[in-house]
Amino acid sequence: MTAIYSGISFKLKSKTTSWENKLKLAHFAWISRQCLLPNKEQVLLDWARQSLVAFYKGKLELKEDIVERLWIYIDNILHSIKFRTLLKNGKMTNLQISLVKIINERITEFSLSGPQRNISAVLSCCHGILSTPALAVIYTVKQELMVAFLSQLCQLACMQPEAAVVAQLFEVIHLAFGRYLLIQQQQVNPKRAFGELVGHLFQPCLVLRHLLSVGQWTQASQLQGQQAPSWDIRNQIEGVLQGGAFQPELLSSYKEELLEQQQGSAKVGAMKSLLTPVHTMLAKLVDIACCEPSLQATVVASAVALLYKLFLESYFKEGNQLLCFQVLPKLFGCLRISHLQEQQLQALSTSDWTTELLVVEQFLGAVVSHNIYNIAADRIRHGEVQFHFYRRLAELLINHPQASVPAWFRCLKLLLSLNHLILEPDLDDLVSSAWVDADVTECRTKKAQEVLINALVQTYAKLRQVPRLFENLLGVICRPAAEELRKPVLSCGPSTVFRECLLELPPNQILDTWCLVLEKFQSLVLPCLLGDTDLALKSLSLSSVLHCIMFNMRSLDNSTPLPVVRRTQHTMESMLRELVQPLLHLLIDHQGPALAPWQQKVSDSALLLASTWAQVDTMLTLNCSQYRSISVPIADTDLETANFPSLLPGLERKHWKKIEKFTAVFDSLGKYCLEQLYLQKMKRTLMQASFQSEEALQTLRHDAAYILRSGKKRMSQRTVASWDGHVGTVNACTYPVAHWHLIASNITIFISYLCPDDVRYLADILLQNLPLGRTQENLADEEEPCVTFEKLSLAILYSPIFPEMQSLHSASLMGVIARCTHILISGAQNDVGLLHQQLPWLFEKDHTVVAYWKKRLVNVGPESIEPRGELAQNLLLLVNSGFPIELDAGQLERILELLEVLSVLQLDSLLAPYHVHSFLLLLTMAITSLGSTSSSLTLQVLMTCYRLLDRLQSGRSARSVFRIMYASDVVEIILTSLFKASGQLLIDADAPSWLEFLQVIGSFLEHLMQMLVQMKLSLVVNFRKIITFLSSYKLYTEESSGKLLESQKYLGMQLLLVSLTKSCQVLGPFVKDQKQHQESVEVLRELLQQSILQTGAVLQLCSEPAAKGWHLPSALLSSATTLLEADVAQHSGDTEAEISKTTLSHSALYQTVYSQILSELPSLAGNLPSFQAAVRFLTLFFLTPELHPKEDSIFTSTFHSVKEVLADPDVSSEVTECMELHLGDLLTQMLVVGTTEDFRGVLQCVLQGLNISNVWKADQQTVLSAITLLQLLLNCPLSGEQSSLLWRACPQIIVALTLQVREACQEQSLLLPVAGPVLDVLALLLRQGEEVIRSPHHISLAFSALLTVPVDHLKLSEFGSVISRIHNVLFAILQCHPKVMLKAIPSFLNCFNRLVFAVIHEGRQKHKGNPDDLTVILESARLIERMYSHIAVRAEEFTVFSPFIVSQYVTEVQKVTLYPAVKNLLQEGIYLILDICREQDIQFLRISLQPGVRDVFKELYNDYLKYHKGKHEGEKRYTA
């Protein structure tokens, strides 16, 4: 091989060697270690370079393929690890300038003629050079090469090359910009940097940045996942522009160009030598040639926005405001819209307007945010140069309205925020183009329009010039225009801001505005209204404005000045006589056979004003005694007249009949307002003293019926329209929603005066519009705050007063029941007539329910058995023989939706007839045959039925059910049905839905049996029947062998087990509590014994075969626990000695369950109910000595299992916390049974777990288990010897806890999981050891542990927990160890001050923060205040230290600004410390504190004297 490489230089340069062989030879020479050519890297690189240079200079002819391979060869060398290793080790390799030049030439060629074949290889070479600092240094030496290279790269990217090279190109651009930024930062000549930028880079950089901003490449996913994302390159371009054009050294040039030229003070010679950076850049900007002509305008637009941003970032500071403004008109002049007034360009398209208005918005936003425009300075010092520019801009925007562009509205809003005088000369045109005549439909544009209108109203409200704004608004409304094309003047947004502003205006301003609207209405609209549809529409617009003013103004009251009251009264009278009555008479006097469109609009306008006038008149009458209404009192009208609204004087009864007839034709605003008038009349009637008279009641019933029936026709037609809640937007489409809103919001007034048919209609509408399957929370999450049928119906249903409206509640209940019965009847399998005989309650109408069940309940006497038995036997027969109703999946889903509605109704307050009817219906649904439906749907329906039955039987009329059926019959019917249904369910016995169903049915049976016991309803009869039925169930008697039961039978066995368990659970405590040996009690005791025997037998049948005997499923452990508890209860005498002598019924069963629990206890911890049942079983097991195993120690076995649970890392801390009470009870019983040696073993286990080596071994769970065990021990009642052992080990425990805290606090991840529980148990230990721990050394150890706990830089979730735990430890020391505190006060204060400082630091006002976070800080501040109060109680000990406590507080508070709520809490605490300060302490603080801190203390002490001490001294005077 050595021979091959001999004379390699000669062979590479030889003309006889083919280029194919030369390339192969060069390649193998590069990769082979046997080629020992001196300076091989330089030789090979120079050969390839010289070959390419010779080719591109025309001295050498090469094939295109050879040229590309030469580029690839150079690229392979540049990117090879070998080459980079050599460079890293310091070997010099010279990269000739000629190679860089031909690279630049190739990039230029690509940018001019488009990408060629070898572009990828050339770009890869560029990447290799730029990514290697030792090679890239050539660009630093020859800076002009880098500038030209970067310029051509940008131009090449702007040509948008093919996707294959885009990613590679942008990586090179990213590297090139990074290299140029380093060169630019080292540039010492700012003018040279500026010249390079403007001369070569300015245009291509701006074009490239624009293309990147609009996502030209990312849209095609060509740059996704690359190392040089577009945003990074954009930032680099901005850095290049800022470093070249906006250097600090160029500020003087900008000032000379922008300020001195503006003042005209520069000389001609000086003008020639100016750098004029702005003029130079703008000249380049408007002459961009490196992009397509279609892009030029958008590139310029994005460029001027960027240049202004960079200019402000570089040069804005106080004093440079005029300079920062002067550049703005020049940049604005580059936009096309700046020439529109000069008519140099044709009209622009909407997209062009959008682009340029977004730039103008950025300009104005920057002016506002940087506070560049100062009105006074501009007027006094600069001749209003800024104001005139903004005025020209405002004229441009208003003269060329673009209501479809959101940025147009935002620009006007920004101009308004600068100075309202900018827009005021064109206020009428602004109101017209941006408000009244603006055709806005798109949501974003509408939002921008509302923001502008809101700002406009708020501005003129603050200026107290609302009448001027309304004058322009009314002038625009009254202009000749196509009124039908206009949108409502006051939609939801503007009306809301008007309401807020009108409340703040003085009364005279509101009255001026009110009178102005009346004047315009009377002078411009009313005289020519007849027959003119356009004027009729204008009258409606003016009416909505007048309604907004009158409805939202502040009401008069008795404190209002009399002139204002008189003027208001005069305005009201004038409005009624000169506007409302003429409008109504115009409507009445010109009715023809066919109603014209203008008449409908006039009726809407007239009735809107009439209802508004009536409501405002009533409000003023109620609130202001000086106001005198001219309305005729209702009490003075006769009955027939009272059937029509009489709130407006001057109109006779026949006129109202005509109006009522007229409005009935249209579903419009007029009909809605007429309903409002009737409602107002009802309210006026109810305010009369004689509202309970027969005439008044008849009037109220008539008015309520009219309002309800007015929209009855439209309400029967289902609609999905929504309404914004503003009266001006009521039309034919939104009228049904507005009508339903009127009824729903005043339903408490209507409901008492509606006939039964109307109440049923109301309930029917309510149920029709309920969004089944959606809750109130789901609808509240919708974005638009609109009013819909669904929201209103849900609001009524969930209202707390809905159950109080008994008629509507009952009608709604019967409506749901009627829908349910309809579904049930539709599922009848036989003749409906036969079903009527079998289940008559399904065919009862709501008006017959009360009478039917009242009669049945009266006929059933206390001793009557036949009716009760007959009903139950019929139902039981139907269940056994096949229920006559079967429902399919669709019917079940509809039933389920109705049951959800029924669950919202409060079933616990029903009257007895409704209660019985509902019970029978729910019972029918629960026992109905469910057909071949899915098991999940079946279980869901059954669970819902039994939950509702359970809730129903917890109501006040629960006893009425037992007057028609025995409770035992109910249990038999339900269980018979469930046993049959369980045989059809295809579901696993351990499925979550099945286990949940067992809980539901168990809860229902338990409550039903408890009701029997509480009410003492034939206990012996009912329980005998229940237990006899359960004992006679056939499945478990047939299965005597141990083989595996079928799935369906196993479900039935579980149901049987739950039923028997509940009978034991209810009877056991009852029998145990009976002290008298009555015959009935003995019978119940025998029944309990029978139930226990059957439960044990079924429990064994429900077990699973195992290697040793059988295994009980974890879900059934609660049954075993209940069985043991009942078994103990039935043998219980008066003393525990008698308990120990009894023989339990299932001793072998209990011992097997005990063994199973011990082996499975850690795995049961994942299922909290099963775990609780297991722990409860163990506790009961310890109470029965006869069950204890003889060969093993029950204490040792159980403690081992408990320890495994506590040490299991899969058991979460939340589960452990939930189980602490049950584990505590178990440990208490264990300690009673255990010996002293057992207790020593427990203590040894605790100390071993707290060993510091566990932390070093990262055995966190062992430490936590020891902490939990110690906490349980401290909460257990201990015997004398056990207590002595514990407190003798206390010093060792405290030392171990202290070491644990120190180690845990060194890692942030262990702070809450380990240090938190350690602090909890430390506080508990200190509290429990109040009389035992006497050594001050141990307390000082606690202080040292607290000092290691970090309280700064914590997450807020950690902060509250840590502060609370440290506080608890300090409080335990302060309260329980007063003698130790005498010498430990400095240590105590040291720990406590850390808490104070931490709360002050977290309680400071932040620029960003979640308001919810303040709750945690307030809780911590409350703890600090409480500790201050405890310190103040110990005044004799802390008096000496009180000035230091105050000094520490004010010194820290002086550094921050606290939230007021936090400050108040801390001050309340420090006031208590000031109470124990002596006068000389106060003087000491005034003298010794630093000046800034002294001011804080002075303010604090003054507040203390004013708010605290004065009050305290005042209270002392009344203290005995």
Side-chain angles (χ1 to χ4, degrees), residues 64-136:
E64 190 174 350
D65 177 62
I66 299 299
V67 174
E68 184 177 8
R69 288 172 67 182
L70 282 171
W71 280 114
I72 293 173
Y73 180 72
I74 294 176
D75 176 52
N76 290 338
I77 293 177
L78 294 176
H79 280 93
S80 67
I81 299 175
K82 175 183 174 182
F83 183 66
R84 290 177 181 262
T85 304
L86 291 172
L87 292 175
K88 186 176 181 181
N89 293 334
K91 184 170 183 180
M92 297 299 297
T93 301
N94 186 16
L95 190 69
Q96 298 295 330
I97 292 178
S98 57
L99 178 60
V100 177
K101 286 183 177 179
I102 63 169
I103 287 176
N104 281 14
E105 291 171 2
R106 299 290 70 72
I107 299 296
T108 303
E109 182 183 347
F110 297 152
S111 66
L112 293 175
S113 59
Q116 297 177 8
R117 178 176 175 179
N118 53 7
I119 184 173
S120 180
V122 174
L123 288 175
S124 186
C125 290
C126 297
H127 183 278
I129 295 171
L130 292 171
S131 61
T132 309
L135 301 178

Side-chain angles (χ1 to χ4, degrees), residues 753-771:
Y753 306 104
L754 294 176
C755 65
D757 289 339
D758 286 339
V759 173
R760 282 192 290 273
Y761 161 74
L762 196 61
D764 190 53
I765 295 296
L766 172 66
L767 295 175
Q768 279 182 11
N769 293 292
L770 282 176

